[in-house]
Amino acid sequence: MILLVAAALRLPELAINPFHHDEGVNGFFTTNLVRDGVYRYDPANYHGPSLYYFALASATLFGLTEQALRLVPVLAGLASVALVLPLRRFIGPIATLTAAALLAVSPGAVYISRYFIHESLLVCFSLGLVVASLLYLEERRPQYLLAAAAFAALVFTTKESGIITVAVFAIAAVVARYYVGLRTPGAARRSPGRKVRGADTLFVDGIEYRAVGGGRPGLAVPGLALEHVIAAAVVFLSIYVLLYSSFFTNFPEGLIDSLATFTVWTQTGAETQVQPPQQYLVWLVQAEAPLLVLGVVGGLIAALEGRHRVWVFIGLWALGITVAYSIIKYKTPWIALNMVVPLALLGGLTIDRVGKSGRWRGAAPVVLAGAVAVGGYQAVDLSYRHYDDETYPYVFVHTTRQALALIDRIEHVSTVAGTGRDTGVVFVTPDYWPLPWYMRDYPKAGFFGKIVPTEEALIVANVNQEADLAQYAGRYTRDGVFTLRPGVDLALYVRNDLAGR
């Protein structure tokens, strides 16, 4: 039921909102990959290759459309909700279902998963790494370690900031181990559950779990088997090398660039999109208040109880990822999705503990229902009505719906002219993304970014350039003005023989 709700919120009308600037750039690279088979990783920008190769598969199946490209992050968003469910053995059924429900209706999780950008994939693979690692540490089955290696490789091949996520995971795991050890000296450090047999057996919800080879469930386990480590390393390197080398068409340059990128992004993180340290909390308060409150309470519960390493790890994950991204000066709203997932898990702990308390037990379903209702309403309102309204926190320099009106007008004039998609369209505006994506089927569309001589049927200029358009005077008529995004207004000029038609 939760997955159906998550799908119902994410899948409809994937082309209703125009591509964001970044989506247009990603669409440009995907178009080249689909049509020409060419992709080269650029360490200076645009993030990792995994998004483009998943999009290649989707575009091959469904066509090179907005729906096909956005289907990739949508599926990643749905997979993130599904990946919460295997955590049941570690955090219990109530916390698991609550966390999945909160994530399913999260306004940010819904909105960002309908963006053709890297963040939904990064968060999905990060959660997959946690889940697969926990399953391996409990059961020692090699397939779980191989899955963890694959998720880790996908984290690093999706976005450079994946190194932040992995560093937070490593620190949280170590601190959780010692924190629980200090809080409960001499006690068995296990996942949430009720011990009913010997030292190596747990019963959770009537299901028996036995540690493999004398190990302990959860995060407390001895060293890894060498053959498992070798196999995992092969999986990790295979995925990493194949994607960054563009399947050996850019070898070894792609691999070299994948390491050089950290120097570039260290500089970028201090120079662009600079926001104050508290900005993510401000955005979360505005857009995710119920989830944030439940998550913070859950984090305090995990810290105060101090008995379960998994819960302490999740609390440190939420805290660590928030602090890490808050310290970095570069901030964009979609990065908050990295915080939403652990907060949703901690929200599950809050509802679980409230539901088990004698005094406040009846409040748990009411609080949960309220949080889901508020989140669901905000998700629909943001994703289907106010998707280009900058007063909403997750809407960030987004392309307005007027951009689609501009494209419709270009298509209408092209049809009237009888030249169709062979119509010449000259973009002299220096601000034009994501329009190259929408003009991908117009071979005579040129993006010059400055005034150039032309006799083509259509010209698109920034209104700030109108004083410099004297060379077009008497030959073109201004057809209309369209807001591309806040602060960027574009004027469409039609050649006189086509004007007014």
Side-chain angles (χ1 to χ4, degrees), residues 84-354:
V84 172
L85 303 180
L87 292 173
R88 172 181 174 176
R89 66 177 66 186
F90 303 102
I91 64 178
I94 300 301
T96 298
L97 292 173
T98 298
L102 291 173
L103 186 58
V105 302
S106 159
V110 173
Y111 186 70
I112 295 166
S113 69
R114 291 166 57 85
Y115 256 39
F116 182 54
I117 59 175
H118 298 72
E119 213 65 39
S120 288
L121 276 70
L122 173 65
V123 171
C124 173
F125 300 145
S126 300
L127 179 58
L129 174 58
V130 170
V131 173
S133 298
L134 287 173
L135 290 172
Y136 177 75
L137 292 177
E138 179 173 4
E139 297 190 11
R140 290 307 187 87
R141 295 182 180 179
Q143 59 265 38
Y144 292 135
L145 186 60
L146 298 183
F151 280 123
L154 289 170
V155 165
F156 283 108
T157 56
T158 296
K159 200 175 178 185
E160 299 78 6
S161 57
I163 194 171
I164 297 175
T165 301
V166 173
V168 168
F169 286 166
I171 295 170
V174 172
V175 174
R177 177 184 179 92
Y178 287 100
Y179 179 79
V180 174
L182 290 173
R183 291 295 306 277
T184 56
R189 280 56 143 178
R190 289 184 169 79
S191 308
R194 184 168 58 90
K195 179 182 175 184
V196 295
R197 287 193 185 176
D200 296 325
T201 303
L202 287 175
F203 270 86
V204 180
D205 303 318
I207 301 175
E208 181 180 6
Y209 297 101
R210 295 185 179 181
V212 178
R216 293 173 176 175
L219 297 176
V221 294
L224 306 178
L226 179 60
E227 61 271 23
H228 294 179
V229 173
I230 293 174
V234 170
V235 170
F236 178 91
L237 291 173
S238 297
I239 295 173
Y240 190 93
V241 171
L242 283 174
L243 290 181
Y244 271 118
S245 70
S246 300
F247 289 83
F248 295 105
T249 61
N250 187 33
F251 183 87
E253 289 80 6
L255 297 180
I256 296 172
D257 287 341
S258 73
L259 301 177
T261 189
F262 295 108
T263 301
V264 175
W265 281 96
T266 299
Q267 298 171 352
T268 301
E271 296 174 355
T272 63
Q273 306 293 358
V274 174
Q275 301 282 352
Q278 71 276 13
Q279 191 59 55
Y280 285 119
L281 291 178
V282 172
W283 282 329
L284 288 171
V285 167
Q286 293 174 335
E288 307 274 5
L291 184 147
L292 178 62
V293 171
L294 291 173
V296 169
V297 173
L300 293 173
I301 292 173
L304 293 174
E305 288 183 348
R307 297 194 306 269
H308 305 304
R309 288 178 183 168
V310 172
W311 276 129
V312 173
F313 168 81
I314 294 172
L316 290 170
W317 170 13
L319 177 63
I321 206 74
T322 303
V323 170
Y325 279 115
S326 296
I327 291 173
I328 298 171
K329 295 180 180 180
Y330 174 91
K331 293 179 176 66
T332 55
W334 44 81
I335 290 177
L337 184 59
N338 294 272
M339 305 155 204
V340 166
V341 170
L343 285 173
L345 293 170
L346 292 171
L349 174 60
T350 300
I351 296 299
D352 180 71
R353 292 298 185 267
V354 172

Side-chain angles (χ1 to χ4, degrees), residues 33-34 44 47 66 111 185 201 211 220 271 331-332 355 427 442-443 449 483 492:
L33 181 58
V34 171
H47 304 308
E66 289 93 329
Y111 186 70
T201 303
E271 296 174 355
K331 293 179 176 66
T332 55
F427 290 82
Y442 283 71
T483 299
L492 174 66

